Structures are given as C-alpha cells and as structure tokens.
Amino acid sequence: MSRQMPPAHPFDDDKLKEECGIYGVIGVADAANFVALGLHALQHRGQEAGGIVCHHPDHGFNNARRFGYVRDNFTDQNLMATLPGPLAIGHVRYSTAGGKAPVIRDVQPFFGEFSMGGAAVAHNGNITNADALRRELIERGSIFQSNSDSECIIHLMARSLQKTIPDRMEDALRRVEGAFSVVAMTRTKLIGVRDPLGVRPLVLGQIGDGWVLSSETCALDIIGARYVREVEPGEMVVITDQGVESRRPFRKQPSRFCIFEHVYFSRPDSIIGGRSVYETRRQIGIELAKESPVDADLVCPVPDSGTPAAIGFSHESGIPYAMGIIRNQYMGRTFIEPTEQIRNMGVRLKLNVNRALIEGKRVILVDDSVVRGTTSRKIKEMILDAGAKEVHFRIASPPTAWPCFYGVDTPEREKLLAATMSEEEMRDHLQVDSLRFISLDGLYRAVGEAEGRNAKCPQYCDACFSGEYPVAPSDQIEKGFTLKAAE
Ligand code: SF4
C-alpha cells in the first residue's frame, strides 16, 4: 500500500527537521497504550507516520503502522485492542517534503523473525554507510522490504552468528556508521542503544515496576514515568523483568551530542544532559544580547521556537519583550492539501503580525535559525507592512552552512543561505537593518561550556555550522559531496 502524504507543515519548509522519535515500554499492562502516549509527546520529532510493535505471551507479536498524527490513529480503541501485552516499542517519523512518496512499508518499527524468536527495531538517526551496507547485503542474498536505511540493522542481525538477539544486535551495530539511537524488543527484552558518539538522544525512565526508553524526557512526563538517566553514548541497555543490564559494545570515544537538539529539535520542557532545554535557549538569548546588542523598542520571538531566546535577549538587554507575531496553532496537515493560490499566501497562514504592538517601533526579531532564508524574508515583509520602523534579526544559532547527515532533513548545501553568502550578504539579501547570529563559542557557553568550543576536540556535533563532521559521511562522499578543506 502506498499513499502520498502532504508535508506536515506545508508552509514551513525553511527549518531543519528532526526525522524520528523512538519509544519503548516494558513491564506494564497494555504497554502499547503507553507507547501511543509517548509517541504523541514526541510528535514534534516526526509527523508523517507512526508505528507500534508489541508482544503478548499468548498473542505473540502484533503491529500497527499508520500515516498521520498519533492522536488521529492510536486513539482508536478497536486498533489499540489489537496491540496487547506488557512490552511494546514505537516510532514516529518526519515527512520527507518534496522527496520520494512515502510508503507504509517504510514506517518503523521493523520486524524480523529469527531462529531464536522475533525482534523489532526502531531507529532515530542516519546510517552514513547505508548505501554500501545495502549493496553488500543484497549481493549476499538479503531481500529488502523498504527504502529505509534502518532496515540494514535487521538484515545485519539476520546474518550474525551470535546466539542471542542482543548479541546479534551488537554485531550489527558495530558494522553501522553514523548516528543512531535504537529502541528494540524481543519477546522478553526491551533494548536501547546509542551510537559511540551519542549524537542522537535516548533516556531511561521508570514507571512502577516497568521501564521506559524515550528520545526525550517530555515523553516520560506524559505517562507519569520517573526520569532515571540518559542511556550513555556507546551504551546498550537490555531490560527484562530482572532489571537493567548495561553493556558497552563499542570502543569508547569522546561524545559528540547534536548541539542543535538544544537550539531547536527537542521540546523546551525536556531535560538534556541534566539541563533544561528551555533554560539553555533562554541562555542563548542572553549570550546573543551580549554579543550583538542593538538599540530598539521591542524584542519579539518568531514563534514558537524563538520564544525562550527572545525572553533571554530581552532580559539581558532590558528591551521590552512582546508577542509581536502570533502563530496559528492549528496549522497542521489537517488543514487542506494546499492549492497554488493558498501556497502563495505562505507564511501568513501560519504567522500573523500583532499590528497594534509593532506600528512605529524598532523591532528585534529573534529566530532559532536561518536555513534557506525564505521564511525570514517573508516575516520581515510582514513586520514592515505592519508599520515597523526598523527590523533587526538576531539568530539563536550560528549560520547553518553545511547539511546534516545524522538524521536531520537538510536542503543540499547550495540551498543553505549561509553556504553561499557572508553575514553581510545575507543581511542585504533579507533587506533587514541588521542581522547577527550567535557565535559558535557563544552557543557552547549557553549549553554550559564556560570556556566555549574546544577547537581541538569539540564537545558536541556542530557539523552543520562548522563543517567538521565527527563521522565521515561515506555514502555522500561517494556521491560527490566535498568535505571542508582542512585549515
Ligand atoms: S550536523 Fe547539526 S543537526 Fe546534524 S547532528 Fe550535527 S549538530 Fe545536529
């Protein structure tokens, strides 16, 4: 079955987009209901489709995969009744706007039947050697069911000679390069793994006698689970009714968590590395105001992701904060399949200027990032149309000049504004009175690195800003992608 889906936010193609959220629960009755709630809390990480696999001792493995929002699918009691058992995992994925038409067989979790029993796998991230692995596996007889990189993991597990599923998974993941957080299950085990650099997040929680794995802590809160700790970079946790076993399948390396999770991807009510995402974003605004002050009358966020940074900017600068732009919260894919005419209305369908506040004012607009620059330009026009005297952009991330190959949907490098223009050229292009981005050091300070970025051994992945990829994107290099020249 295949079905063309509109992008989740048809007028919002000017942001980087996280591609997946993962979740798993063991040791509670009807675990799939908890997984559905968890996936609902992770919906910001992917709106195209969701899937759940579960296991019941009498009914075996069952699964459901659906296009669309979790709330529109996994609230159907008839459907949920087909997903019984104390163990379940789930996945939400992002819509590949403008890419290949999505097909239901690409929707995770993926399931494989092995001689020692079934296993299901849900993956957040991107396997940077997936093309090479797929070629090799096909040559050796594997039959792929989907277009997804993540299916390689199941085939590598099938080829392993190890005797248990967790051991096979270790074997498989040692062949995989790139960024991965994985939640998997057997009949009796819930398994969580993070790649050696820990690029993508994964946390462990507890609910009663049961355990939870989740991309973010906000999805623990929704089911009343207690945050226990992060699954550490390079760690595999194998959870049974006996408790949590921690394994270390990979060679230890310095971690390189995705710094953009702090800026934009994660929900502001999540905790990352012991830090509140909201507070980090507020701190980014403070750093930005210190680095790039400007005389103005109002600080306005581009909602919603620019809001905490705007609050920080206002706090540090003493310039009043105001909701100069209002977001229509109900602009989801449920709206309509957009016609050309409606598409031309663009960002106005999602954002509206609060004219009474803006008229005659010098306005500082705080946004999380500039990708193609198309939205920034339209927002500036709306603000000027509303009678603003000056428009100053302050951006809560450094210029995004390089694509991400670790599980985030990014335009090709040529389409990134910062890849082809200097900051001053971008200001000219956007026709604003001033444009400033937070520095990479400023961003590192905001995430708690008091000394800024360690140039010799950066504490985070920041490749989309610096061009320094912690794992060489080998498939992309084979296709002609050129890495930044060494300085
Ligand atoms: S390249 Fe950017 S978005 Fe991708 S993992 Fe690294 S910091 Fe995150």
Side-chain angles (χ1 to χ4, degrees), residues 258-279:
C258 166
I259 204 163
F260 225 134
E261 290 278 353
H262 287 286
V263 175
Y264 177 66
F265 300 135
S266 293
R267 254 175 52 167
D269 50 338
S270 282
I271 308 286
I272 297 179
R275 291 178 67 82
S276 147
V277 173
Y278 174 87
E279 184 49 31

PDB file of all heavy atoms in Angstrom, residues 258-279:
ATOM      1  N   CYS A 258      24.374  16.081  19.422  1.00  0.00           N
ATOM      2  CA  CYS A 258      23.910  17.101  18.463  1.00  0.00           C
ATOM      3  C   CYS A 258      23.572  18.398  19.197  1.00  0.00           C
ATOM      4  O   CYS A 258      22.608  18.445  19.965  1.00  0.00           O
ATOM      5  CB  CYS A 258      22.677  16.577  17.739  1.00  0.00           C
ATOM      6  SG  CYS A 258      21.763  17.846  16.844  1.00  0.00           S
ATOM      7  N   ILE A 259      24.326  19.459  18.930  1.00  0.00           N
ATOM      8  CA  ILE A 259      24.081  20.724  19.653  1.00  0.00           C
ATOM      9  C   ILE A 259      22.762  21.363  19.207  1.00  0.00           C
ATOM     10  O   ILE A 259      22.156  22.136  19.951  1.00  0.00           O
ATOM     11  CB  ILE A 259      25.291  21.678  19.498  1.00  0.00           C
ATOM     12  CG1 ILE A 259      25.312  22.672  20.659  1.00  0.00           C
ATOM     13  CG2 ILE A 259      25.294  22.385  18.135  1.00  0.00           C
ATOM     14  CD1 ILE A 259      26.631  23.381  20.857  1.00  0.00           C
ATOM     15  N   PHE A 260      22.293  21.000  18.016  1.00  0.00           N
ATOM     16  CA  PHE A 260      21.035  21.571  17.515  1.00  0.00           C
ATOM     17  C   PHE A 260      19.821  21.046  18.289  1.00  0.00           C
ATOM     18  O   PHE A 260      18.751  21.655  18.267  1.00  0.00           O
ATOM     19  CB  PHE A 260      20.869  21.261  16.018  1.00  0.00           C
ATOM     20  CG  PHE A 260      20.406  22.446  15.194  1.00  0.00           C
ATOM     21  CD1 PHE A 260      21.013  22.751  13.990  1.00  0.00           C
ATOM     22  CD2 PHE A 260      19.362  23.252  15.615  1.00  0.00           C
ATOM     23  CE1 PHE A 260      20.597  23.828  13.225  1.00  0.00           C
ATOM     24  CE2 PHE A 260      18.933  24.333  14.863  1.00  0.00           C
ATOM     25  CZ  PHE A 260      19.547  24.622  13.664  1.00  0.00           C
ATOM     26  N   GLU A 261      19.981  19.927  18.995  1.00  0.00           N
ATOM     27  CA  GLU A 261      18.877  19.463  19.853  1.00  0.00           C
ATOM     28  C   GLU A 261      18.573  20.538  20.899  1.00  0.00           C
ATOM     29  O   GLU A 261      17.426  20.765  21.242  1.00  0.00           O
ATOM     30  CB  GLU A 261      19.241  18.149  20.553  1.00  0.00           C
ATOM     31  CG  GLU A 261      19.312  16.936  19.635  1.00  0.00           C
ATOM     32  CD  GLU A 261      17.945  16.299  19.341  1.00  0.00           C
ATOM     33  OE1 GLU A 261      16.938  16.698  19.936  1.00  0.00           O
ATOM     34  OE2 GLU A 261      17.923  15.400  18.485  1.00  0.00           O
ATOM     35  N   HIS A 262      19.639  21.186  21.402  1.00  0.00           N
ATOM     36  CA  HIS A 262      19.438  22.244  22.391  1.00  0.00           C
ATOM     37  C   HIS A 262      18.765  23.463  21.768  1.00  0.00           C
ATOM     38  O   HIS A 262      17.954  24.128  22.390  1.00  0.00           O
ATOM     39  CB  HIS A 262      20.786  22.692  22.978  1.00  0.00           C
ATOM     40  CG  HIS A 262      21.388  21.702  23.927  1.00  0.00           C
ATOM     41  ND1 HIS A 262      20.906  21.510  25.195  1.00  0.00           N
ATOM     42  CD2 HIS A 262      22.440  20.868  23.798  1.00  0.00           C
ATOM     43  CE1 HIS A 262      21.637  20.600  25.815  1.00  0.00           C
ATOM     44  NE2 HIS A 262      22.566  20.187  24.988  1.00  0.00           N
ATOM     45  N   VAL A 263      19.149  23.771  20.534  1.00  0.00           N
ATOM     46  CA  VAL A 263      18.671  25.007  19.893  1.00  0.00           C
ATOM     47  C   VAL A 263      17.223  24.867  19.447  1.00  0.00           C
ATOM     48  O   VAL A 263      16.423  25.784  19.605  1.00  0.00           O
ATOM     49  CB  VAL A 263      19.549  25.341  18.655  1.00  0.00           C
ATOM     50  CG1 VAL A 263      19.002  26.554  17.904  1.00  0.00           C
ATOM     51  CG2 VAL A 263      20.990  25.563  19.060  1.00  0.00           C
ATOM     52  N   TYR A 264      16.889  23.700  18.866  1.00  0.00           N
ATOM     53  CA  TYR A 264      15.625  23.651  18.134  1.00  0.00           C
ATOM     54  C   TYR A 264      14.864  22.328  18.225  1.00  0.00           C
ATOM     55  O   TYR A 264      13.661  22.329  18.436  1.00  0.00           O
ATOM     56  CB  TYR A 264      15.913  23.977  16.649  1.00  0.00           C
ATOM     57  CG  TYR A 264      14.714  23.893  15.753  1.00  0.00           C
ATOM     58  CD1 TYR A 264      13.650  24.784  15.903  1.00  0.00           C
ATOM     59  CD2 TYR A 264      14.614  22.915  14.775  1.00  0.00           C
ATOM     60  CE1 TYR A 264      12.522  24.701  15.083  1.00  0.00           C
ATOM     61  CE2 TYR A 264      13.500  22.827  13.956  1.00  0.00           C
ATOM     62  CZ  TYR A 264      12.460  23.723  14.113  1.00  0.00           C
ATOM     63  OH  TYR A 264      11.362  23.642  13.323  1.00  0.00           O
ATOM     64  N   PHE A 265      15.540  21.189  18.053  1.00  0.00           N
ATOM     65  CA  PHE A 265      14.782  19.949  17.846  1.00  0.00           C
ATOM     66  C   PHE A 265      13.999  19.512  19.078  1.00  0.00           C
ATOM     67  O   PHE A 265      12.847  19.117  18.986  1.00  0.00           O
ATOM     68  CB  PHE A 265      15.697  18.794  17.417  1.00  0.00           C
ATOM     69  CG  PHE A 265      16.433  19.059  16.144  1.00  0.00           C
ATOM     70  CD1 PHE A 265      17.777  18.772  16.038  1.00  0.00           C
ATOM     71  CD2 PHE A 265      15.780  19.600  15.055  1.00  0.00           C
ATOM     72  CE1 PHE A 265      18.459  19.025  14.867  1.00  0.00           C
ATOM     73  CE2 PHE A 265      16.450  19.859  13.882  1.00  0.00           C
ATOM     74  CZ  PHE A 265      17.797  19.567  13.790  1.00  0.00           C
ATOM     75  N   SER A 266      14.649  19.521  20.230  1.00  0.00           N
ATOM     76  CA  SER A 266      13.990  18.983  21.424  1.00  0.00           C
ATOM     77  C   SER A 266      12.923  19.941  21.925  1.00  0.00           C
ATOM     78  O   SER A 266      12.991  21.151  21.691  1.00  0.00           O
ATOM     79  CB  SER A 266      15.013  18.747  22.537  1.00  0.00           C
ATOM     80  OG  SER A 266      15.888  17.720  22.161  1.00  0.00           O
ATOM     81  N   ARG A 267      11.970  19.370  22.648  1.00  0.00           N
ATOM     82  CA  ARG A 267      10.924  20.217  23.213  1.00  0.00           C
ATOM     83  C   ARG A 267      11.487  21.017  24.386  1.00  0.00           C
ATOM     84  O   ARG A 267      12.320  20.518  25.142  1.00  0.00           O
ATOM     85  CB  ARG A 267       9.754  19.329  23.687  1.00  0.00           C
ATOM     86  CG  ARG A 267       8.564  19.429  22.758  1.00  0.00           C
ATOM     87  CD  ARG A 267       7.465  18.510  23.088  1.00  0.00           C
ATOM     88  NE  ARG A 267       6.994  18.560  24.467  1.00  0.00           N
ATOM     89  CZ  ARG A 267       5.867  17.988  24.880  1.00  0.00           C
ATOM     90  NH1 ARG A 267       5.101  17.344  24.010  1.00  0.00           N
ATOM     91  NH2 ARG A 267       5.500  18.032  26.127  1.00  0.00           N
ATOM     92  N   PRO A 268      11.023  22.266  24.567  1.00  0.00           N
ATOM     93  CA  PRO A 268      11.610  23.099  25.627  1.00  0.00           C
ATOM     94  C   PRO A 268      11.375  22.569  27.027  1.00  0.00           C
ATOM     95  O   PRO A 268      12.070  22.955  27.966  1.00  0.00           O
ATOM     96  CB  PRO A 268      10.943  24.469  25.424  1.00  0.00           C
ATOM     97  CG  PRO A 268       9.793  24.235  24.517  1.00  0.00           C
ATOM     98  CD  PRO A 268      10.068  22.995  23.737  1.00  0.00           C
ATOM     99  N   ASP A 269      10.389  21.650  27.189  1.00  0.00           N
ATOM    100  CA  ASP A 269      10.152  21.085  28.521  1.00  0.00           C
ATOM    101  C   ASP A 269      10.936  19.795  28.738  1.00  0.00           C
ATOM    102  O   ASP A 269      10.742  19.109  29.742  1.00  0.00           O
ATOM    103  CB  ASP A 269       8.646  20.844  28.754  1.00  0.00           C
ATOM    104  CG  ASP A 269       7.984  20.068  27.622  1.00  0.00           C
ATOM    105  OD1 ASP A 269       8.530  20.067  26.500  1.00  0.00           O
ATOM    106  OD2 ASP A 269       6.929  19.457  27.856  1.00  0.00           O
ATOM    107  N   SER A 270      11.837  19.461  27.819  1.00  0.00           N
ATOM    108  CA  SER A 270      12.701  18.293  28.029  1.00  0.00           C
ATOM    109  C   SER A 270      13.986  18.701  28.754  1.00  0.00           C
ATOM    110  O   SER A 270      14.367  19.871  28.769  1.00  0.00           O
ATOM    111  CB  SER A 270      13.066  17.646  26.680  1.00  0.00           C
ATOM    112  OG  SER A 270      11.993  16.868  26.213  1.00  0.00           O
ATOM    113  N   ILE A 271      14.619  17.697  29.347  1.00  0.00           N
ATOM    114  CA  ILE A 271      15.916  17.881  30.015  1.00  0.00           C
ATOM    115  C   ILE A 271      16.948  17.117  29.188  1.00  0.00           C
ATOM    116  O   ILE A 271      16.749  15.939  28.891  1.00  0.00           O
ATOM    117  CB  ILE A 271      15.905  17.267  31.439  1.00  0.00           C
ATOM    118  CG1 ILE A 271      14.709  17.769  32.254  1.00  0.00           C
ATOM    119  CG2 ILE A 271      17.229  17.501  32.162  1.00  0.00           C
ATOM    120  CD1 ILE A 271      14.810  19.169  32.750  1.00  0.00           C
ATOM    121  N   ILE A 272      18.025  17.803  28.823  1.00  0.00           N
ATOM    122  CA  ILE A 272      19.093  17.134  28.076  1.00  0.00           C
ATOM    123  C   ILE A 272      20.383  17.284  28.862  1.00  0.00           C
ATOM    124  O   ILE A 272      20.764  18.410  29.210  1.00  0.00           O
ATOM    125  CB  ILE A 272      19.312  17.772  26.685  1.00  0.00           C
ATOM    126  CG1 ILE A 272      18.078  17.646  25.803  1.00  0.00           C
ATOM    127  CG2 ILE A 272      20.509  17.132  26.008  1.00  0.00           C
ATOM    128  CD1 ILE A 272      18.270  18.292  24.441  1.00  0.00           C
ATOM    129  N   GLY A 273      21.045  16.157  29.109  1.00  0.00           N
ATOM    130  CA  GLY A 273      22.327  16.214  29.827  1.00  0.00           C
ATOM    131  C   GLY A 273      22.202  16.955  31.151  1.00  0.00           C
ATOM    132  O   GLY A 273      23.113  17.684  31.552  1.00  0.00           O
ATOM    133  N   GLY A 274      21.061  16.797  31.792  1.00  0.00           N
ATOM    134  CA  GLY A 274      20.848  17.456  33.077  1.00  0.00           C
ATOM    135  C   GLY A 274      20.463  18.931  32.947  1.00  0.00           C
ATOM    136  O   GLY A 274      20.311  19.623  33.952  1.00  0.00           O
ATOM    137  N   ARG A 275      20.311  19.430  31.741  1.00  0.00           N
ATOM    138  CA  ARG A 275      19.975  20.851  31.541  1.00  0.00           C
ATOM    139  C   ARG A 275      18.594  20.997  30.930  1.00  0.00           C
ATOM    140  O   ARG A 275      18.248  20.279  29.977  1.00  0.00           O
ATOM    141  CB  ARG A 275      20.975  21.517  30.583  1.00  0.00           C
ATOM    142  CG  ARG A 275      22.360  21.686  31.137  1.00  0.00           C
ATOM    143  CD  ARG A 275      23.247  22.310  30.076  1.00  0.00           C
ATOM    144  NE  ARG A 275      22.845  23.678  29.783  1.00  0.00           N
ATOM    145  CZ  ARG A 275      23.193  24.739  30.492  1.00  0.00           C
ATOM    146  NH1 ARG A 275      23.965  24.588  31.560  1.00  0.00           N
ATOM    147  NH2 ARG A 275      22.814  25.950  30.147  1.00  0.00           N
ATOM    148  N   SER A 276      17.847  21.950  31.421  1.00  0.00           N
ATOM    149  CA  SER A 276      16.539  22.267  30.849  1.00  0.00           C
ATOM    150  C   SER A 276      16.746  22.881  29.466  1.00  0.00           C
ATOM    151  O   SER A 276      17.523  23.829  29.297  1.00  0.00           O
ATOM    152  CB  SER A 276      15.831  23.264  31.760  1.00  0.00           C
ATOM    153  OG  SER A 276      15.022  24.136  31.013  1.00  0.00           O
ATOM    154  N   VAL A 277      16.059  22.330  28.475  1.00  0.00           N
ATOM    155  CA  VAL A 277      16.181  22.867  27.115  1.00  0.00           C
ATOM    156  C   VAL A 277      15.691  24.317  27.091  1.00  0.00           C
ATOM    157  O   VAL A 277      16.304  25.191  26.470  1.00  0.00           O
ATOM    158  CB  VAL A 277      15.378  21.994  26.121  1.00  0.00           C
ATOM    159  CG1 VAL A 277      15.353  22.621  24.737  1.00  0.00           C
ATOM    160  CG2 VAL A 277      15.962  20.590  26.054  1.00  0.00           C
ATOM    161  N   TYR A 278      14.618  24.590  27.801  1.00  0.00           N
ATOM    162  CA  TYR A 278      14.094  25.963  27.870  1.00  0.00           C
ATOM    163  C   TYR A 278      15.166  26.909  28.411  1.00  0.00           C
ATOM    164  O   TYR A 278      15.418  27.976  27.834  1.00  0.00           O
ATOM    165  CB  TYR A 278      12.856  26.008  28.773  1.00  0.00           C
ATOM    166  CG  TYR A 278      12.361  27.408  29.007  1.00  0.00           C
ATOM    167  CD1 TYR A 278      11.473  28.010  28.112  1.00  0.00           C
ATOM    168  CD2 TYR A 278      12.812  28.158  30.096  1.00  0.00           C
ATOM    169  CE1 TYR A 278      11.051  29.310  28.303  1.00  0.00           C
ATOM    170  CE2 TYR A 278      12.393  29.460  30.286  1.00  0.00           C
ATOM    171  CZ  TYR A 278      11.512  30.035  29.399  1.00  0.00           C
ATOM    172  OH  TYR A 278      11.099  31.331  29.584  1.00  0.00           O
ATOM    173  N   GLU A 279      15.806  26.507  29.506  1.00  0.00           N
ATOM    174  CA  GLU A 279      16.783  27.385  30.139  1.00  0.00           C
ATOM    175  C   GLU A 279      17.992  27.609  29.219  1.00  0.00           C
ATOM    176  O   GLU A 279      18.534  28.709  29.135  1.00  0.00           O
ATOM    177  CB  GLU A 279      17.207  26.800  31.499  1.00  0.00           C
ATOM    178  CG  GLU A 279      18.157  27.651  32.304  1.00  0.00           C
ATOM    179  CD  GLU A 279      17.727  29.126  32.426  1.00  0.00           C
ATOM    180  OE1 GLU A 279      16.517  29.415  32.424  1.00  0.00           O
ATOM    181  OE2 GLU A 279      18.634  29.981  32.496  1.00  0.00           O
TER     182      GLU A 279
END
